[in-house]
């Protein structure tokens, strides 16, 4: 549960900005004026009918405060349609606010006659209050618009000047300064060099902790629900920063780009421009260091004492030179007047020496469209710390096909035995060193944390104080309810709410991290002295030996996993403690012993993701979840929206066709192979060599007639290995190689790009060179490195073959528990199936849909999709395919007619010029 905006500490500038702008916003959802759905939308080119339909439905959903599930296949201009419809609604809504104000003011001038005068007075008072609030919003907007318009004009003039002279910066800044902003040049001269002397032990002590009731003074983002932005916003989130940047580029193409205030948010890891902090690489370490620098802003500097010889009692100023109030303000305005992606925003921060991370956060109150990563929206503490308010705003979650899994993973926490041992040892050393200087309450909580860590180590069968790599704990896996887990491990008497609060307020994990760093630095600085005691011990637990295996393992880890590995161990344990406050029914604890304690782990598994979408559905004016393959919609409705308390009248479903003509797609479900053997790739038949040989013949035949690239998806790595071994034995591989060069999905993520480049080069080089080989085939695995986010457009994927149905492993205890949870807490489906079974089938079909959606990426593209398994002919399976594929699906019991129709499809396409 990584928290990229994890501040905890006060940032005075940000507070100023919040206070300045975050006055109460009037929620205008009670406006009497209803916005009609427009017939046309500003669009950069004449839109297709399906795009107009999509935009109309988005607009209607936003206006009616709906919860929309929108499906629009890749290549249909989904992002552009979202941008145009949502921004159109936003502008219309702002116009409506003006009309509302006029109506209220004219209403107030009319004398009410007759009736109950007390009631009349109340009505009049309410109208006056509403008018006051509206006036404030509109005036704020107009002032902001006027100011930014002037700045924009100035910037434009300055940019033109730049062509003639390189004095641009001074001139623009001079004009900017004239608008009441302090002298920028002077500000830059005031930068102080970063002082890296971090030896002040007082900084490492947790502050006195006297109260469990009060939040620490200065916690930047209060939970004050009354504080709202004055500007109605669209909060657009997507899975990756690349996808967010693509969306920003789409917005730039629209008519709204001139006058819209659009910003992108990210973590300090994305935006930090301080080289000495940035080089720390790990998100946690960057956060820690940045916050330390801010904290030190307020401390006094001794100008006489050389850095290395300062007395301990003297405080040192160590602040980030990029976090100066005036620079941040300048940066904020620049960001608001020009739409930029993450790369541009970072570059701009460097050029004006202002931190983009804080500059963009300062811009939040004035922004109309905020692009943010999933985690920032879905993880409530992160959302709140970053200053994102939901009330009255529009939330759009794009690429939402895996929303359940995303929410579950955002709130699930896994801790390894090595982390527990490390955190326990560090905290024990910290406690021993500072025992005499810590107040009673601090000592009490630190001891409680040490006890919790000991209990968790014991739960994994280990012992605290001994290297995790040398402890053997056997192999075992079990799942427990939260209450059972706490009771069995003698943790049931702990108040985890209070402990969690203590961790937040005392920032114990940061102090501990500083303590460790300090100890290691001392050791580095004093090489002549023998490393003994604390330093020596900490060194062994903090810097484990890195083996060749570790390096290879590390290469295969996702970014999040790598971050987790490098994170401060107590910080992860804090996240775990937070999960222990979840209601017993909504989560489980999975304990997995993997022989060595260091590799064993405890994981909190969230069973009910609806818990964490509830706030979003309740507070936001409207919510849209959108994606290329969103089927089955029922899963979103039943497991997420209804489970979070949404009513059916708010839910809107919309799916649109592909922009490609029907003749450009050729999906087929095939039940039997060339020899008439049934294609059954269910788990029990996967080692049936007769079926594998039959499959081989089908693939050979496909390779003979399909030009360029073929993408072959296996349901699992294990099955891919079995099939390729068999095909090697039976010469099927050799037969395929006569027509296509074979590529296999690489084991290491770092090799994906290289493999894809070679695959592409092979297709480009061999395509129609009449040497026999006609392109390439790539063996991939569903859910693997090539099944999401990789684009097999045009010649890269003229045919996608899906072998079997990739059901998840039913023996997984985690999956079994999720299925049990649904069976116990959710109603049966309309056709009488248990909800756990529905989940199981949906997981499979979502994976199929993602994989087959890799081909056909734009309106002129064409491809065939071959679903190999007799089960694809079942209506229950067919109904879960994307509609634009399902409606063209040809079902073939026999191979002959299927092969003929495939042949026919490519013969027709060969007549095209682009063929
Ligand atoms: S550049 Fe920004 S994120 Fe980096 S240390 Fe400075 S204030 Fe923190």
């Amino acid at each position: 549960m990584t928290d990229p905006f994890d501040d905890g500490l006060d940032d005075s500038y940000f507070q100023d900005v919040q206070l300045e702008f975050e006055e109460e916003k009037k929620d205008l959802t009670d406006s009497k004026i209803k916005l009609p759905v427009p017939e046309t939308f500003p669009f950069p080119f004449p839109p297709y009918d399906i795009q107009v339909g999509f935009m109309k439905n988005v607009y209607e959903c936003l206006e009616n405060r709906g919860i929309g599930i929108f499906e629009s296949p890749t290549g249909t201009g989904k992002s552009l349609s979202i941008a145009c419809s949502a921004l159109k609604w936003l502008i219309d809504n702002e116009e409506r606010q003006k009309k509302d104000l006029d109506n209220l003011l004219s209403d107030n001038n009319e004398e009410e006659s007759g009736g109950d005068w007390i009631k009349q007075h109340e009505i009049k008072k309410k109208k006056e209050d509403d008018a006051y609030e509206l006036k404030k919003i509109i005036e704020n907007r107009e002032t902001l618009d006027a100011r930014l318009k002037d700045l924009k004009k100035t910037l434009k003039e300055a940019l033109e000047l730049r062509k003639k002279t390189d004095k641009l910066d001074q001139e623009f800044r001079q004009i900017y300064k004239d608008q009441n902003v302090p002298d920028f040049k002077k500000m830059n001269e005031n930068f102080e060099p970063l002082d890296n002397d971090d030896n002040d032990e007082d900084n490492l002590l947790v502050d006195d902790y006297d109260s469990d009731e009060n939040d620490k003074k200065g916690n930047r983002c209060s939970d004050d629900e009354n504080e709202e932005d004055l500007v109605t916003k669209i909060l657009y989130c997507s899975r990756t920063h690349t996808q967010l940047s693509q969306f920003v580029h789409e917005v730039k193409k629209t008519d709204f780009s001139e006058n819209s205030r659009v910003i992108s948010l990210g973590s300090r890891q994305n935006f930090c421009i301080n080289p000495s902090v940035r080089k720390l690489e790990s998100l946690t370490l960057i956060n820690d260091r940045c916050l330390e620098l801010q904290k030190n802003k307020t401390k006094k500097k001794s100008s006489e004492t050389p850095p290395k010889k300062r007395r301990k009692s003297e405080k040192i100023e160590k602040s980030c030179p990029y976090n100066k109030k005036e620079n941040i303000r300048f940066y904020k305005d620049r960001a608001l007047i020009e739409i930029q992606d993450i790369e541009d925003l970072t570059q701009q921060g460097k050029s004006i020496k202002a931190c983009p991370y804080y500059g963009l956060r300062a811009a939040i109150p004035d922004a109309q469209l905020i692009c943010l990563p999933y985690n920032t929206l879905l993880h409530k503490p992160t959302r709140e710390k970053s200053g994102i308010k939901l009330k009255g705003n529009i939330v759009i979650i794009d690429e939402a096909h895996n929303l359940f899994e995303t929410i579950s993973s955002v709130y699930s926490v896994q801790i390894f035995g090595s982390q527990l041992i490390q955190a326990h040892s560090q905290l024990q050393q910290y406690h021993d060193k500072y025992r005499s200087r810590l107040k009673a309450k601090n000592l009490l909580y630190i001891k409680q944390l040490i006890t919790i860590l000991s209990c968790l180590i014991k739960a994994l069968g280990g012992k605290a104080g001994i290297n995790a790599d040398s402890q053997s704990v056997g192999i075992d896996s079990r799942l427990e309810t939260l209450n059972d887990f706490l009771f069995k491990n003698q943790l049931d008497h702990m108040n985890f709410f209070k402990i969690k609060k203590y961790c937040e307020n005392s920032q114990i994990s940061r102090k501990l991290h500083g303590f460790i760093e300090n100890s290691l630095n001392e050791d580095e600085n004093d090489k002549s002295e023998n490393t003994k005691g604390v330093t020596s011990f900490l060194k062994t637990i903090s810097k484990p030996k890195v083996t060749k295996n570790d390096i290879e393992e590390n290469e295969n880890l996702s970014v999040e996993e790598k971050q987790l590995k490098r994170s401060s161990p107590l910080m992860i344990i804090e996240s775990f403690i937070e999960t222990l406050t979840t209601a017993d029914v909504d989560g489980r604890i999975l304990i997995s012993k993997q022989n060595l304690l260091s590799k064993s782990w405890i994981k909190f598994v969230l069973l009910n993701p609806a818990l964490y979408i509830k706030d979003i559905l309740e507070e936001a004016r409207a919510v849209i979840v959108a994606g290329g393959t969103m089927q089955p919609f029922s899963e979103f409705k039943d497991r997420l929206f209804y489970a979070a308390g949404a009513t059916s009248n708010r839910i809107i479903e919309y799916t649109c066709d592909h922009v490609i003509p029907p003749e450009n797609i050729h999906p087929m479900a095939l039940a039997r192979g060339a020899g008439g053997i049934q294609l059954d790739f269910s788990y029990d038949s996967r080692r049936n060599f007769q079926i594998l040989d039959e499959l081989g013949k089908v693939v050979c035949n496909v390779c003979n007639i399909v030009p360029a690239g073929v993408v072959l998806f296996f349901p699992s790595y294990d099955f891919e290995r079995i099939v390729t071994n068999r095909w090697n034995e039976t010469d099927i591989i050799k037969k395929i190689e006569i027509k296509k060069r074979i590529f296999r999905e690489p084991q290491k993520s770092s090799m994906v790009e290289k493999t894809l480049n070679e695959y592409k080069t092979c297709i480009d080089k061999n395509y129609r060179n009449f040497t026999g080989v006609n392109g390439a085939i790539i063996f991939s695995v569903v859910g693997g490195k090539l099944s999401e986010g990789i684009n097999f457009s045009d010649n890269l994927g003229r045919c996608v073959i899906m072998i079997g149905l990739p059901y998840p492993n039913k023996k997984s205890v985690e999956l079994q528990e999720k299925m049990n949870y649904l069976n116990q807490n959710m109603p049966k489906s309309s056709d009488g199936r248990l909800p756990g079974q529905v989940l199981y089938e949906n997981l499979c079909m979502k994976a199929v849909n993602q994989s087959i959606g890799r081909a056909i990426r734009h309106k002129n593209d064409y491809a065939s999709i071959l679903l190999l398994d007799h089960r694809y002919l079942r209506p229950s399976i067919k109904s879960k395919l994307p509609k634009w594929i399902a409606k063209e699906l040809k079902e073939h019991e026999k191979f002959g007619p299927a092969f003929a129709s495939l042949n026919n499809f490519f013969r027709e396409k060969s007549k095209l010029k682009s063929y």
Side-chain angles (χ1 to χ4, degrees):
M1 196 155 53
T2 317
D3 181 354
F5 287 102
D6 185 13
D7 268 12
L9 292 180
D10 181 35
D11 169 30
S12 57
Y13 173 67
F14 192 75
Q15 256 185 351
D16 291 348
V17 173
Q18 294 284 61
L19 288 174
E20 195 177 326
F21 290 101
E22 289 198 358
E23 294 172 44
E24 191 168 333
K25 178 180 68 183
K26 171 87 184 129
D27 185 2
L28 293 179
T29 48
D30 54 353
S31 171
K32 286 181 189 150
I33 303 168
K34 175 114 172 97
L35 296 176
V37 178
E39 282 306 312
T40 56
F41 290 82
F43 211 70
F45 49 84
Y48 295 103
D49 288 349
I50 58 155
Q51 288 168 328
V52 175
F54 187 93
M55 288 189 282
K56 281 181 167 183
N57 278 276
V58 169
Y59 191 98
E60 194 171 8
C61 181
L62 305 188
E63 176 58 13
N64 293 340
R65 297 200 249 161
I67 298 169
I69 309 167
F70 282 72
E71 183 180 59
S72 177
T74 312
T76 52
K78 169 172 55 73
S79 303
L80 194 57
S81 303
I82 288 176
C84 289
S85 49
L87 284 166
K88 167 84 176 130
W89 179 85
L90 197 80
I91 303 303
D92 290 352
N93 184 53
E94 289 180 357
E95 284 302 309
R96 167 166 61 185
Q97 288 177 335
K98 284 185 196 162
K99 287 181 191 157
D100 276 332
L101 180 61
D102 289 344
N103 291 343
L104 276 168
L105 291 176
S106 61
D107 275 6
N108 281 348
N109 291 335
E110 283 171 22
E111 282 294 320
E112 302 276 345
S113 61
D116 180 349
W117 67 269
I118 297 178
K119 196 151 188 184
Q120 276 184 21
H121 176 74
E122 274 175 13
I123 294 169
K124 190 159 189 273
K125 174 87 176 55
K126 180 161 185 318
K127 281 182 182 171
E128 279 171 5
D129 288 349
D130 287 353
Y132 172 77
E133 296 297 342
L134 263 174
K135 207 168 165 209
K136 197 166 67 176
I137 290 169
I138 292 164
E139 280 174 4
N140 171 69
R141 189 162 65 223
E142 285 173 352
T143 312
L144 180 68
D145 282 347
R147 193 166 67 82
L148 293 179
K149 204 173 157 192
D150 280 356
L151 283 174
K152 200 177 239 182
K153 189 167 162 263
T154 309
L155 177 69
K156 209 173 160 191
E157 286 164 6
L159 285 171
E160 274 163 18
L161 263 176
R162 178 168 233 166
K163 289 173 192 159
K164 299 173 196 160
T165 170
D166 59 1
K167 286 180 185 167
L168 158 81
D169 281 351
Q170 292 97 310
E171 293 192 23
F172 179 51
R173 283 166 187 160
Q174 186 58 45
I175 300 163
Y176 190 79
K177 191 185 114 188
D178 293 344
Q179 294 190 356
N180 241 348
V181 178
D183 186 349
F184 185 78
K185 191 163 184 282
K186 219 166 155 191
M187 284 163 3
N188 286 341
E189 282 165 2
N190 287 339
F191 284 164
E192 290 132 30
L194 196 64
D195 189 339
N196 283 321
D197 188 346
D198 207 7
N199 290 333
D200 189 347
E201 285 208 349
D202 288 346
N203 288 338
L204 305 175
L205 269 179
V206 281
D207 292 339
D208 295 347
Y209 192 75
D210 295 321
S211 168
D212 292 328
E213 304 306 321
N214 299 326
D215 275 346
K216 187 177 173 183
K217 202 174 137 198
N219 254 3
R220 186 185 48 71
C221 286
S222 72
D223 290 332
D224 186 355
E225 292 300 325
N226 294 324
E227 279 194 11
E228 294 174 12
D229 301 316
L230 290 167
V231 177
T232 303
K233 299 176 195 318
I234 299 164
L235 305 171
Y236 173 89
C237 77
S238 196
R239 207 163 53 87
T240 63
H241 282 297
T242 312
Q243 285 162 343
L244 289 175
S245 289
Q246 281 166 359
F247 182 73
V248 168
H249 285 287
E250 294 297 300
V251 175
K252 280 168 104 169
K253 289 180 197 164
T254 70
D255 290 1
F256 303 98
S257 63
E258 246 327 272
N259 297 313
S260 297
R261 302 187 294 277
V262 181
I263 58 164
S264 295
L265 299 183
S267 64
R268 286 187 180 87
Q269 204 173 24
N270 301 119
F271 285 127
C272 181
I273 54 167
N274 183 332
S276 70
V277 180
R278 205 177 161 76
K279 74 175 182 201
L280 296 171
E281 286 187 2
S282 146
L283 174 63
T284 313
L285 298 183
I286 291 174
N287 280 344
D288 285 355
R289 185 64 186 141
C290 171
L291 293 169
E292 281 300 316
L293 292 174
Q294 285 179 65
K295 197 182 128 196
N296 294 336
K297 255 168 131 180
T298 52
K299 294 180 179 173
K300 287 186 182 164
K301 185 175 183 174
S302 162
S303 53
E304 287 132 35
T305 318
K308 295 288 171 193
K309 291 182 184 172
R310 284 188 187 103
R311 291 190 302 274
K312 276 188 180 177
S313 58
E314 288 170 326
K315 302 286 181 188
I316 309 154
E317 184 174 10
K318 301 162 280 184
S319 61
C320 176
Y322 304 99
N323 194 6
K324 303 284 180 191
K325 187 172 175 174
E326 297 77 9
N327 288 23
I328 295 285
R329 186 183 288 273
F330 178 73
Y331 179 90
K332 180 200 95 165
D333 284 345
R334 276 291 269 115
L336 285 169
I337 57 177
E338 193 182 353
I339 301 178
Q340 297 170 83
D341 65 16
I342 289 178
E343 217 171 284
D344 297 336
L345 288 165
T346 310
Q347 206 45 50
Q348 190 185 296
K350 285 179 186 165
S351 83
I352 60 178
K353 295 188 171 61
C355 170
Y357 176 79
Y358 281 104
L360 290 164
R361 291 181 66 184
I364 290 173
D366 288 336
Q368 290 170 306
L369 171 58
I370 301 178
C371 301
L372 65 171
Y374 269 1
N375 210 40
T376 312
L377 180 84
L378 299 173
H379 189 232
K380 190 174 178 182
T382 307
R383 184 171 74 230
E384 289 179 347
K385 281 173 187 166
S386 63
I388 297 290
K389 304 282 165 87
L390 296 171
K391 190 143 189 205
N393 290 331
I394 302 297
V395 170
I396 298 174
I397 305 174
D398 204 355
E399 304 300 334
H401 52 276
N402 280 335
L403 191 55
F404 309 94
E405 291 74 20
T406 308
I407 298 175
S408 292
S409 75
V410 162
Y411 284 96
S412 293
V413 182
Q414 185 176 17
I415 41 172
F416 284 86
S418 53
Q419 291 168 320
L420 288 168
I421 288 284
Q422 218 177 337
H424 179 277
S425 307
Q426 292 176 357
L427 205 55
Q428 187 66 54
Q429 298 295 328
Y430 183 85
H431 169 270
D432 293 349
K433 180 153 187 179
Y434 294 116
R435 184 169 30 199
S436 59
R437 297 175 64 187
L438 290 168
K439 283 224 167 157
K441 207 107 194 192
N442 272 320
L443 276 175
L444 176 81
Y445 278 111
I446 291 173
K447 277 183 183 164
Q448 282 192 26
L449 284 169
I450 292 172
T451 307
I452 293 169
L453 289 164
S454 300
C455 292
L456 295 178
I457 293 168
K458 214 167 148 193
L460 280 173
K463 270 189 192 158
I466 303 172
N467 193 321
D469 279 324
S470 60
Q471 296 197 55
S472 180
V473 293
I475 293 183
D476 182 29
S477 243
R478 63 179 194 276
L479 196 103
E480 292 174 358
T481 64
L482 281 167
N483 286 348
D484 281 353
F485 176 77
L486 297 177
F487 181 74
K488 277 187 200 166
N489 295 293
Q490 295 162 339
L491 290 165
D492 50 324
H493 62 285
M494 297 271 183
N495 185 334
F496 289 105
F497 288 97
K498 280 190 172 183
I499 296 169
K500 178 185 150 220
K501 199 167 186 178
Y502 171 76
C503 291
E504 279 168 15
N505 292 346
S506 67
Q507 296 164 46
I508 177 71
S509 58
R510 292 202 180 105
K511 303 281 177 184
L512 189 62
H513 189 73
F515 168 68
I516 299 299
E517 295 270 294
N518 219 28
S519 304
L520 293 171
N521 287 344
E522 273 174 16
D523 184 52
E524 290 293 321
N525 289 339
D526 193 6
K527 287 208 171 93
S528 58
E529 201 181 296
N530 285 334
T531 51
K532 290 181 199 168
V534 175
T535 314
S536 170
F537 178 65
L538 290 175
K539 198 169 183 182
T540 58
I541 57 173
S542 300
K543 291 196 169 176
K545 244 165 83 188
V546 181
T547 64
K548 193 169 167 258
N549 269 353
D550 289 337
I551 294 169
E552 280 177 8
E553 222 175 74
N554 208 43
E555 276 190 354
N556 288 323
L557 295 177
S558 66
V559 177
E560 290 78 13
E561 285 168 330
K562 280 181 187 166
Q563 281 172 4
L564 190 77
K565 256 189 132 182
R566 288 189 300 230
S567 299
S568 159
L570 191 60
M571 215 167 256
I572 296 155
I573 280 117
E574 276 180 28
S575 299
F576 186 74
I577 287 172
E578 196 177 333
T579 67
L580 297 178
T581 60
T582 311
D584 187 53
V585 68
D586 293 322
R588 293 288 180 272
I589 300 290
L590 183 55
I591 300 151
S592 178
K593 295 184 188 178
Q594 302 289 329
N595 202 9
L596 283 182
L597 176 64
S598 55
K599 306 265 179 202
S600 304
W601 45 266
I602 303 177
K603 183 179 179 185
F604 169 80
V605 180
L606 179 69
L607 297 176
N608 182 15
L611 278 181
Y612 296 103
I613 196 97
K614 195 172 168 35
D615 289 357
I616 298 175
L617 299 185
E618 282 175 0
E619 290 179 37
R621 177 195 170 99
V623 177
I624 285 180
V625 293
T629 50
M630 297 292 281
Q631 295 292 346
F633 282 8
S634 57
E635 189 170 71
F636 285 94
K637 288 192 290 183
D638 298 338
R639 277 188 66 203
L640 214 51
F641 300 152
Y642 292 147
T647 49
S648 58
N649 60 340
R650 268 192 91 188
I651 297 175
I652 293 163
E653 296 171 41
Y654 185 78
T655 183
C656 69
D657 264 339
H658 211 296
V659 283
I660 54 157
E663 61 271 19
N664 277 14
I665 175 177
H666 193 75
M668 291 195 303
L670 182 59
R672 289 178 189 277
I677 294 169
Q678 188 175 61
L679 298 173
D680 176 8
F681 301 106
S682 55
Y683 193 76
D684 293 339
S685 309
R686 285 188 187 173
R687 284 179 187 273
N688 183 326
F689 288 155
Q690 232 188 348
I691 299 178
L692 300 191
D693 295 347
E694 191 77 343
L695 171 68
K697 286 178 207 158
V698 173
V699 174
C700 283
N701 277 301
V702 169
C703 288
N704 282 340
I705 56 170
V706 175
V710 174
V711 187
L712 183 64
F713 279 107
F714 291 89
S716 68
Y717 286 104
D718 197 32
F719 190 55
E720 192 244 15
R721 191 179 42 77
I722 294 169
V723 172
T724 44
N725 285 348
R726 175 67 187 170
W727 286 359
N728 272 318
E729 286 165 16
T730 54
D731 285 351
I732 286 173
I733 287 284
K734 280 185 189 155
K735 285 181 187 161
I736 295 173
E737 278 172 339
I738 293 171
K739 280 291 173 188
K740 306 272 181 209
R741 190 175 151 197
I742 299 174
F743 289 84
R744 290 178 74 176
E745 178 181 316
Q747 287 182 350
K748 292 178 187 172
S749 304
S750 54
M751 294 299 288
V752 168
E753 204 179 328
K754 186 171 178 277
T755 307
L756 286 175
N757 279 339
E758 285 174 11
Y759 172 72
K760 184 177 180 304
T761 309
C762 174
I763 289 168
D764 290 346
K765 211 164 115 190
N766 293 323
Y767 178 52
R768 300 186 80 207
N769 65 358
F770 305 106
T771 58
V773 175
N774 183 4
I777 181 168
I778 187 158
F779 293 2
S780 323
V781 174
V782 174
K785 299 171 191 76
L786 306 178
S787 64
E788 261 198 72
I790 308 272
N791 191 345
F792 288 107
S793 63
D794 300 313
N795 277 344
L796 294 182
R798 288 299 180 204
C799 180
V800 175
I801 306 175
M802 171 63 62
I803 302 171
L805 285 149
Y807 284 105
N809 178 8
K810 218 173 188 172
K811 288 183 184 153
S812 148
V813 277
E814 199 172 324
L815 177 64
Q816 278 178 8
E817 201 57 24
K818 283 183 179 170
M819 290 170 70
N820 289 340
Y821 174 85
L822 291 176
N823 291 343
Q824 284 161 18
N825 295 285
M826 304 277 290
K828 285 183 179 173
S829 65
S830 52
D831 57 1
R833 279 172 312 142
L834 286 169
Q837 183 61 24
V838 174
L839 166 75
Y840 180 66
E841 287 166 14
N842 287 350
L843 283 171
C844 165
M845 287 312 293
K846 283 202 293 188
V848 169
N849 293 343
Q850 269 306 303
S851 299
I852 59 181
R854 298 299 91 214
I856 307 193
R857 313 295 286 182
H858 60 86
K859 68 180 168 57
N860 295 320
D861 204 354
Y862 64 90
S864 58
I865 294 167
L866 207 46
L867 304 171
L868 300 182
D869 198 302
H870 68 104
R871 292 170 291 174
Y872 279 111
L873 274 66
R874 292 177 187 164
S876 61
I877 300 289
K878 192 182 161 187
S879 69
K880 286 180 178 165
L881 290 169
K883 284 210 169 82
W884 61 280
I885 292 178
K887 75 176 189 183
E888 300 299 329
L889 188 74
K890 279 106 190 147
E891 297 168 43
H892 292 284
E893 267 294 336
K894 292 182 181 165
F895 179 75
F899 185 73
S901 88
L902 190 69
N903 199 14
N904 201 32
F905 175 75
F906 284 105
R907 206 173 39 231
E908 284 301 312
K909 293 298 160 205
S910 70
K911 293 173 190 165
L912 297 174
K913 263 188 184 169
S914 61
Y915 182 77

